[in-house]
Amino acid sequence: MNLNLIDKLKEHPDLISDATDQQYTIADVSWQAYEAFLADLGDDFPGFRVHYLEGTLEITMPGRKHEVSKDNISGLLRIYFEETRTRFYGLGSTTFRREAKRRGAEPDVSFCVETDKEFPDIAVEVVQTDGGINKLDIYQGLDVPEVWFWQRGGFVIYHLRSNGYEQSDHSEFLPNLDLALLATHVQSPEPLDAIIAFRSAIREALQ
């Protein structure tokens, strides 16, 4: 299963689109096969995102728009952490997995806040395609307290409660962060201009 897909991509790199995301879902994948797939990916396809939920494997090949959004979100959040003097630990797209729960995820962006931890406090998923496996189910099994989805030009945020995730209009880790302001700059066609303007807005708000 794993070798066939990887070999196919190596033989036909044109199957990977620069413009749009491509997503593959494979059912009935054992935990051992999932781990073997991650090992086989290695450094050949570092940009891929792999999610696993109770035997279902989802592989996302991010397109250009996806990667630009991911990079903008990460960069702007780092500026917010710096300007507000919030201690942070950037974990990027680290693979997080828990065999006992049969769950694994590779968020687009992830951070621990205030202290470093095994799993992130905030996981961000850039959504460019419909469908796919339920990523909140994955993150609940990993006990990630806050999950952000970037979709349709805005953020949708979920907080983990005792009975599952609850949608919210703000971040509990960054309660003073203006999400609308952040979203505006994530969408800017000029990343440098966005960084300068976002930093300036934060400093003004802190005065």
Side-chain angles (χ1 to χ4, degrees):
M1 176 277 301
N2 52 337
L3 292 177
N4 289 341
L5 178 58
I6 293 174
D7 288 343
K8 182 179 179 181
L9 293 170
K10 286 180 178 178
E11 293 171 5
H12 304 284
D14 56 299
L15 293 174
I16 303 174
S17 170
D18 287 336
T20 59
D21 288 4
Q22 295 184 61
Q23 201 170 81
Y24 292 85
T25 302
I26 305 171
D28 300 321
V29 179
S30 69
W31 182 264
Q32 293 72 24
Y34 162 59
E35 292 199 316
F37 181 82
L38 292 176
D40 288 340
L41 277 180
D43 297 327
D44 291 324
F45 304 99
F48 284 20
R49 309 286 188 274
V50 181
H51 293 76
Y52 181 85
L53 175 62
E54 297 179 337
T56 300
L57 185 70
E58 180 183 276
I59 306 114
T60 302
M61 306 171 194
R64 181 186 181 92
K65 185 177 180 180
H66 185 129
E67 291 295 84
V68 168
S69 296
K70 177 211 74 169
D71 192 59
N72 289 348
I73 293 167
S74 179
L76 292 168
L77 283 176
R78 285 175 177 272
I79 287 171
Y80 184 82
F81 289 131
E82 293 168 9
E83 293 297 327
T84 59
R85 302 297 188 268
T86 302
R87 195 168 296 278
F88 70 97
Y89 301 84
L91 305 178
S93 297
T94 299
T95 302
F96 303 101
R97 53 189 186 268
R98 183 170 283 167
E99 182 176 3
K101 297 284 188 174
R102 299 183 68 208
R103 283 159 168 77
E106 292 176 354
D108 288 292
V109 178
S110 60
F111 289 97
C112 287
V113 181
E114 298 298 349
T115 58
D116 197 8
K117 308 171 186 74
E118 180 181 2
F119 293 94
D121 292 313
I122 298 173
V124 184
E125 293 280 350
V126 175
V127 180
Q128 298 286 350
T129 57
D130 295 326
I133 60 179
N134 190 326
K135 292 182 175 59
L136 285 179
D137 279 353
I138 298 176
Y139 286 115
Q140 184 173 349
L142 299 176
D143 294 318
V144 174
E146 197 165 286
V147 181
W148 300 15
F149 292 98
W150 169 257
Q151 55 191 62
R152 301 181 182 87
F155 289 100
V156 181
I157 294 184
Y158 292 88
H159 303 304
L160 184 60
R161 307 301 189 205
S162 59
N163 61 342
Y165 281 101
E166 176 182 274
Q167 188 173 338
S168 176
D169 60 359
H170 69 281
S171 167
E172 292 188 350
F173 287 95
L174 308 172
N176 297 318
L177 173 61
D178 185 336
L179 290 169
L181 177 69
L182 176 62
T184 296
H185 292 297
V186 169
Q187 298 178 85
S188 172
E190 294 294 338
L192 177 58
D193 293 345
I195 286 172
I196 293 170
F198 187 62
R199 189 185 297 275
S200 177
I202 294 171
R203 289 180 176 178
E204 183 177 346
L206 291 173
Q207 289 180 353

